[in-house]
Amino acid sequence: MSAIKNRYEFLYLFDCENGNPNGDPDAGNSPRIDAEDMHGLVSDVAIKRRVRNYIQAAFGNQAPNAIFVEHSSNLNKPITAAHEATGGSPAGGGNRTQVGKARDWMCQQFFDVRTFGAVMSTGPNAGQVRGPVQVAFSRSVDPILPMDVSITRMAVAEKVSGATSVADYQKWENEQEEDKLRTMGRKALIPYGLYVAKGFVSANLAQGTLFSEDDLTHLWEALAGMWDHDRSASKGMMSRRGLFVFKHVGTDSNAEQRKRQAMLGCAPAQALLDVGRVIDVKRNESAMKEDKIGSPRKFAHYTVTTNVANLPKGVELWVWDDSKGTLIKLS
């Protein structure tokens, strides 16, 4: 399995309708916002969690596409397995050679270690891996309006003192007033928000984890389909609305020099990812006027356009095509 040879950046559009795209635990799980301008935020961790969930579902959590950072798991368990498989010391420690063998084993087994990297010195030491794929915080195109709505739960989950059987709980229920067997709760959501995520894939860092072309394909597939495997009432309707991938290929006539350019890149990331340069996202004022609404409430209230004339030399633009289930090249 050989590592990728090209640098990539990607612009990822997704939206949320009547849901909470990413709750902030420090704010009562309300949707994350930039308090200065009220634009919505979604953390990099939230995006990577959904990529992990998709890969886990698609490959049954089996090597070489197992997931290291699973829900409700102890990370030291697979790190210990790495030392057991490579003849190291499961109790921890070990010299540089032993740690290196365990680190390589983790990269071979786990997709998310090869992709996002990991700190694996939390007990049995398998070192640290800096992942080739990184994602910045996503930001909404327009300000969002967080809402806090009341909900009614038609039952309670109260621990009854002295109750040890079904009959005890039934007796307690029969003695209560009906209104006391219901509770009120709250749910945080936004009516609508279109978010832009910016991502980066380093060919140089990929050499250290052996992040391969197959891994890259699985990453694009996960970004394209992950919301359909992450449905919940609290998330509302979340959908991918665009996946635009910039591939650095080089310009030099010399093959070796072109390979070097492809790995290092032919343009700074901001020249590709700044909205309004190659990819533009604007309000569709006519659609909003037709719907008699002053702020966007669905994806049709935006227009997304590409301008390949602004694409720097040595960079290709690829776009996800649902009809083909893969990326297609626009330039």
Side-chain angles (χ1 to χ4, degrees):
M1 183 170 61
S2 59
I4 61 172
K5 303 299 183 183
N6 301 78
R7 190 186 111 190
Y8 296 83
E9 278 83 35
F10 60 91
L11 197 70
Y12 182 63
L13 304 181
F14 63 95
D15 62 2
C16 177
E17 181 180 347
N18 296 324
N20 185 350
N22 184 208
D24 184 349
D26 290 329
N29 206 44
S30 293
R32 295 182 189 271
I33 59 170
D34 182 334
E36 185 173 351
D37 61 12
M38 297 300 291
H39 282 248
L41 301 173
V42 171
S43 72
D44 61 307
V45 176
I47 298 297
K48 290 188 285 188
R49 178 73 266 160
R50 284 156 183 80
V51 170
R52 287 184 169 102
N53 291 347
Y54 179 92
I55 295 297
Q56 187 169 7
F59 296 98
N61 206 23
Q62 298 296 313
N65 293 310
I67 294 300
F68 173 53
V69 184
E70 293 185 77
H71 282 293
S72 303
S73 64
N74 187 333
L75 299 180
N76 288 330
K77 181 178 66 175
I79 297 173
T80 299
H83 281 283
E84 291 178 348
T86 58
S89 172
N95 58 36
R96 180 179 295 183
T97 299
Q98 292 172 329
V99 171
K101 288 181 179 179
R103 182 176 59 245
D104 292 344
W105 187 89
M106 293 292 290
C107 288
Q108 293 165 10
Q109 301 296 309
F110 297 102
F111 174 88
D112 54 339
V113 175
R114 290 194 303 276
T115 305
F116 303 127
V119 175
M120 300 177 291
S121 53
T122 54
N125 186 10
Q128 299 183 19
V129 175
R130 189 177 175 191
V133 179
Q134 301 299 328
V135 183
F137 263 57
S138 308
R139 187 177 181 86
S140 66
V141 177
D142 284 296
I144 62 170
L145 178 64
M147 300 173 61
D148 191 39
V149 298
S150 299
I151 58 174
T152 303
R153 185 170 68 170
M154 301 303 293
V156 295
E158 189 168 336
K159 185 175 181 180
V160 178
S161 178
T164 59
S165 65
V166 173
D168 291 337
Y169 279 100
Q170 184 65 56
K171 180 178 182 296
W172 178 86
E173 282 185 13
N174 294 338
E175 293 172 351
Q176 305 306 307
E177 295 180 15
E178 186 173 351
D179 286 346
K180 292 184 177 180
L181 294 175
R182 294 194 294 262
T183 59
M184 300 296 293
R186 310 202 67 81
K187 180 174 288 190
L189 56 83
I190 61 173
Y192 183 78
L194 176 64
Y195 290 78
V196 178
K198 298 177 180 180
F200 317 88
V201 184
S202 168
N204 291 287
L205 291 177
Q207 309 309 306
T209 69
L210 294 182
F211 180 80
S212 68
E213 292 291 342
D214 283 345
D215 293 329
L216 189 66
T217 298
H218 299 331
L219 174 67
W220 305 140
E221 291 171 348
L223 290 170
M226 63 189 189
W227 300 116
D228 287 324
H229 300 274
D230 191 61
R231 300 297 182 195
S232 70
S234 65
K235 290 291 183 287
M237 180 64 181
M238 297 192 69
S239 308
R240 168 187 46 84
R241 295 300 187 176
L243 174 56
F244 303 91
V245 177
F246 300 93
K247 180 180 181 180
H248 297 258
V249 295
T251 60
D252 203 280
S253 58
N254 180 276
E256 289 302 315
Q257 180 65 10
R258 193 164 59 251
K259 288 180 182 178
R260 180 176 179 274
Q261 291 175 336
M263 289 191 69
L264 293 178
C266 301
Q270 67 269 19
L272 306 171
L273 298 180
D274 281 355
V275 174
R277 291 199 177 191
V278 182
I279 310 299
D280 199 10
V281 183
K282 291 183 177 179
R283 287 189 180 196
N284 186 337
E285 298 292 347
S286 60
M288 292 169 58
K289 184 177 180 180
E290 184 177 339
D291 288 344
K292 299 178 180 180
I293 196 165
S295 58
R297 285 296 182 269
K298 58 185 178 182
F299 183 62
H301 292 157
Y302 287 98
T303 300
V304 180
T305 57
T306 58
N307 188 356
V308 295
N310 289 341
L311 199 64
K313 292 182 179 179
V315 181
E316 298 175 346
L317 174 60
W318 295 69
V319 179
W320 185 267
D321 187 320
D322 277 325
S323 65
K324 296 183 179 180
T326 188
L327 292 170
I328 61 171
K329 189 169 74 168
L330 291 188
S331 65

